[in-house]
Each structure stands twice: as C-alpha cells, then as structure tokens.
Amino acid sequence: TQTIFSGIQPSGSLTIGNYLGAMKQFPELQDDYDSYFCIVDYHAITVPQDRLKLRERTRSLAALYLACGIDPEKSTLFIQSEVPAHAELSWMLQCVASIGELERMTQFKDKSEGKESVTAGLLTYPPLMAADILLYGTDLVPVGDDQKQHLELTRNLAERFNNRYNNIFNIPDIRIQEVGARVMSLQNPTKKMSKSDDNHKATIFMLDELKQIEKKIKSAVTDSEGIIEYDEENKPGITNLLNIYASFAEKPVEDIVTENQGKGYGDFKQDLAELVQGELEAIQNRYYDLYESDELDDILDHGREKADRVASKMLNKAKKAMGIGRVH
Ligand code: AQP
C-alpha cells in the first residue's frame, strides 16, 4: 500500500478552507492508504503564539481530526513535536536547501511582507515540511492549492539529497481536490480564507456557532448584478460561494449553478448556510465529546509511538548517508 502524509498547523481555529482543502478528504483516503495525519506545532511557532492557546489548539485540532472521521485504527494521528526526528531531519535538510530558493516561496513573501522583523523559522518552514513528509516514505500529500510550491520544493530537496548522498527518499506527489482547493475570504474574495485573518467576518471557523455561520454567509461580499454565475474574474464573491456550495454538497459546480438559476442571492445564501450548518453541526457534536476525553490522549500516545518507530528508521538512514554521528 501507498503512504499519505498531511499536516495542519494549530495556528488558529480551523476554517472551512482547511476543511474543504484538506481535512474533508482524509477519511476516505485512510481506507486505501497507510495514513499519517499530523498536528504540526513546530510550524505554528514560525510566527508568535500564545503558549496556553497553542496548547489548547493542539488538543483541539486532534479532536477535530477525529470528529471529521479519522479512525485511529486505520490512521496514525500524532503531534509533530512529540516525534524528535522531524526537527532533526529538518536541520539536515536546511543544510541541503539554499537561502535563495527559500526566499522565493510565496508564503514566506506574503507572511514577511511589511514586517519589521520575521523569524528565521518562517524562512526555513519548507525544509521542516519536507522532513515531515519524507520521514514516512510518503507517496501522496493531500493539501490545498496554497501548498503546491512547498511540495515542489520538497521534491527538489529529496532529489538533491538522493543524488548527493544516497537514494533513500521516496519522491512524493501532490493531491489537490478539484473543488475546494482554494476557498477565498468572504470579505475579500480575491484573498484566500485563512485561520489567522484578523477580520473574523471573512472566515467561517469549523467551531463557529451555527447562528454565526448563517450571519457570516449572509454578509459575504458579492456584487450588484443579482445573477448566479460562475465567473472568477468578474464575480469572485458569488464564484467563491458556488465553490463552497459544491464542495459541501459534493457535486460538480456546474450542477450547483444550474440548480440555482434565477434564484436571488439572499435565498442562495440561505440554502448555503443550511448546508454548511448541517455538516458542521454533526462534526461539532462529536468534537465536544472528544475534546475532554482520556481517549484522546490514548490515541495521541499510540500515534506518537507508531510515528516515532517509522520516522527513527528513516532518520538513521539519512544520518548514515550524510555521515552524521558514529557508525552503529
Ligand atoms: N483557503 C484555503 N482553501 C483550501 N485549502 C486551504 N488550506 C489552507 N487554507 C486553505 C489547506 O489547509 C491545510 C492546512 O493548512 P496549514 O495549517 O498548514 O496552514 P495554511 O496553509 O497556511 O492555512 P491557513 O489557514 O492560511 O493558516 P495560517 O493563517 O496559519 O497561515 C493545508 O493543506 C492547506 O493547503
């Protein structure tokens, strides 16, 4: 069987962008793949985090993975910082990466733009992500569109390492959804929806109260034409809502356009709100039961053990290839 790996940062409360771009596809994948799902807390500290909130979000994210259908009998769910091989291989890959290629990453440019000071970790984020993926011999990485460039870099670093030292890393492929790969902000639909957006009206969080979800969808920016059409260029607002609708309904976006022909924006938004509320309500109910449970800790302990076993083996191969440490 092939292996998949995917990570999500506990850098904020999860959005429907994270859900539709990544998490929603995980449960069906775990039946066919050897699956690793990771809470990447070392990635989250590339920007400042409140310590107590980070702890809470790490646990919350674990509960959310499970509430969305990750089955610990089928998948390995674990916290990145609890498996030291990630930080170790990341350092080795930083010594394979060049500063120039890291500076060219759009996420680095976006997140450092206009800031007086940014952490070195923000620059070296991609080698850590590469380590996450390469430690498990990953074949496939299911992520949203925004991670395409980082995955390309992961492939380059793996190939460079293989050529320079020893052929130990599998070269992973990316898996991007057709719809839902890029959910945009509700207030500025030319910008991606993001958990760390300061404008909370722009973002639907998975744990938002149901009333709140309706309110946010109803106040989503559209246009004054009043015609439901898919047109990314001229009607980014409605197009984004159509994409969200199609992803939740699991239907092609053309069908959603046809079904909603002639409807007013108000009614369309109302239907969308009910669809989103229905799916998230079920997840939220499971989430609140899991968050407080001891079962959650048992699952994470078990996940750490399994991940550590697999990752340590690959780390040793990498050390051997590079000549790190003593022969044993
Ligand atoms: N707007 C989005 N549409 C579709 N997919 C998205 N993803 C993120 N935003 C969207 C996907 O969610 C997964 C987890 O993302 P992450 O936690 O690694 O961080 P990110 O990509 O940087 O997401 P955010 O929400 O924008 O977080 P912050 O604000 O902390 O940077 C990934 O698979 C990603 O593609």
Side-chain angles (χ1 to χ4, degrees), residues 23-44:
M23 211 175 231
K24 188 170 160 73
Q25 36 172 334
F26 297 164
E28 56 190 74
L29 291 171
Q30 67 186 347
D31 292 327
D32 302 326
Y33 293 90
D34 193 8
S35 309
Y36 293 86
F37 297 112
C38 189
I39 297 142
V40 291
D41 51 349
Y42 275 151
H43 277 103

Side-chain angles (χ1 to χ4, degrees), residues 16-80:
I16 58 164
N18 303 127
Y19 179 61
L20 298 176
M23 211 175 231
K24 188 170 160 73
Q25 36 172 334
F26 297 164
E28 56 190 74
L29 291 171
Q30 67 186 347
D31 292 327
D32 302 326
Y33 293 90
D34 193 8
S35 309
Y36 293 86
F37 297 112
C38 189
I39 297 142
V40 291
D41 51 349
Y42 275 151
H43 277 103
I45 58 169
T46 53
V47 296
Q49 301 289 344
D50 175 276
R51 63 181 277 273
L52 294 179
K53 277 200 190 127
L54 181 60
R55 280 255 160 84
E56 187 198 298
R57 283 169 180 163
T58 297
R59 188 176 180 86
S60 165
L61 182 48
L64 207 50
Y65 267 111
L66 297 168
C68 286
I70 293 304
D71 177 352
E73 300 285 325
K74 295 178 185 164
S75 298
T76 307
L77 176 66
F78 69 104
I79 298 170
Q80 181 187 36

Side-chain angles (χ1 to χ4, degrees), residues 6-23 25-26 40 43-44 47 49 61 65 107 111 125 129 141-148 150 180-185 191-197 203:
S6 198
I8 300 183
Q9 302 183 66
S11 49
S13 191
L14 248 60
T15 73
I16 58 164
N18 303 127
Y19 179 61
L20 298 176
M23 211 175 231
Q25 36 172 334
F26 297 164
V40 291
H43 277 103
V47 296
Q49 301 289 344
L61 182 48
Y65 267 111
Q107 180 175 296
K111 291 199 171 177
Y125 179 114
M129 175 166 163
V141 184
V143 284
D145 185 67
D146 63 320
Q147 292 300 326
K148 220 173 177 168
H150 287 162
R182 200 166 175 79
V183 178
M184 310 307 277
S185 151
K191 212 179 95 192
K192 81 160 190 160
M193 186 181 282
S194 202
K195 36 174 138 61
S196 49
D197 194 328
T203 310

